[in-house]
Amino acid sequence: MRVALFIGCVNDVFFPRAGVAAARILERLGVDVDFPAGQTCCGQAHWNSGYRREARDLAEHFLDVFHGADYVVGPTGSCVSMVREYYPEIFGHGAPVLAERARKVAARTYEFSQFLVDVLGVDDIGAHYPARAVYHSGCHSIRLLGAADAPLRLLAGVKGLELLPLPGAELCCGFGGTFAVKSPEVSVAMADDKLDAIRSTGAELVVSGDASCLLHLMGRSHRRDLGLRFMHLAELLAEGTGLLP
């Protein structure tokens, strides 16, 4: 099986270790991983901001870069949801050939944890990671991809990890892509609510499959000097199996 790793802009710039971790886990599970060097932004920020032509150009480039892969896997629910949910819509009017290509690529594109659980049938990779943790699900992962269960099943298989229930787990952290830029006061207030809920559990570690949520919560936690640690799910699994130091 051949997988093209789709890293996403936030991971590429701020959490490149999550991409390395995802690749090593996939390889450990027998997957042939490729990293297409021509990949760029998926266009989500442009699409959400009304720059439809620019988003369309980036989407067409994505289809060119990833069209030959058996599967496209990204350690980012946000960007994967852009490909799966909105690419067919972008080309849905007046571009039938591209629309068909978008539907085919979207059907083969998966968020990292969903690919492990739903495609590979793996929910325990033999990891050991002693910590008290909560899992934060990004909005795109749970609302657009239906990926609420897969990361929790993977974490449940990690020996030594105490996964604590998070009050209001379904609530947004306040990042929301360009929402954090357009409405910073509301965005910060939502992050503080989420962090207060996390602290109420006694967790020391916050895990998520969406780097943008981690970035937002990590920055706010640092400013409040809360002493919490933050990790991408792929990093935890890779460290727990000795694939990353």
Side-chain angles (χ1 to χ4, degrees), residues 93-175:
H93 303 285
V97 175
L98 286 172
E100 181 61 19
R101 288 182 64 195
R103 282 192 289 272
K104 288 181 178 177
V105 171
R108 302 197 307 270
T109 301
Y110 284 84
E111 184 272 335
F112 171 71
S113 67
Q114 275 194 314
F115 184 76
L116 262 59
V117 173
D118 295 343
V119 179
L120 298 183
V122 174
D123 58 12
D124 184 348
I125 64 169
H128 177 260
Y129 197 96
R132 288 169 56 82
V134 294
Y135 185 79
H136 167 68
S137 296
C139 292
H140 290 90
S141 290
I142 56 176
R143 292 174 175 77
L144 293 180
L145 299 178
D149 183 56
L152 298 180
R153 288 176 60 180
L154 289 165
L155 290 173
V158 177
K159 294 176 177 58
L161 184 72
E162 185 179 358
L163 188 61
L164 303 163
L166 176 60
E170 75 284 1
L171 299 178
C172 176
C173 69
F175 181 69

Side-chain angles (χ1 to χ4, degrees), residues 16-82:
R17 197 166 178 268
V20 174
R24 291 184 180 178
I25 291 168
L26 290 169
E27 289 172 345
R28 174 191 173 96
L29 296 173
V31 174
D32 183 12
V33 181
D34 178 39
F35 184 82
Q39 62 183 287
T40 62
C41 174
C42 65
Q44 185 187 57
H46 308 73
W47 180 255
N48 291 342
S49 301
Y51 293 95
R52 300 302 171 94
R53 188 187 66 191
E54 289 80 359
R56 190 184 188 281
D57 290 345
L58 288 166
E60 187 169 351
H61 178 71
F62 185 99
L63 297 180
D64 289 339
V65 169
F66 286 99
H67 79 280
D70 294 337
Y71 291 97
V72 180
V73 176
T76 159
S78 178
C79 300
V80 167
S81 72
M82 177 67 185

Side-chain angles (χ1 to χ4, degrees), residues 82-98:
M82 177 67 185
V83 177
R84 288 182 64 98
E85 298 297 321
Y86 295 112
Y87 275 16
E89 179 181 341
I90 286 176
F91 299 111
H93 303 285
V97 175
L98 286 172

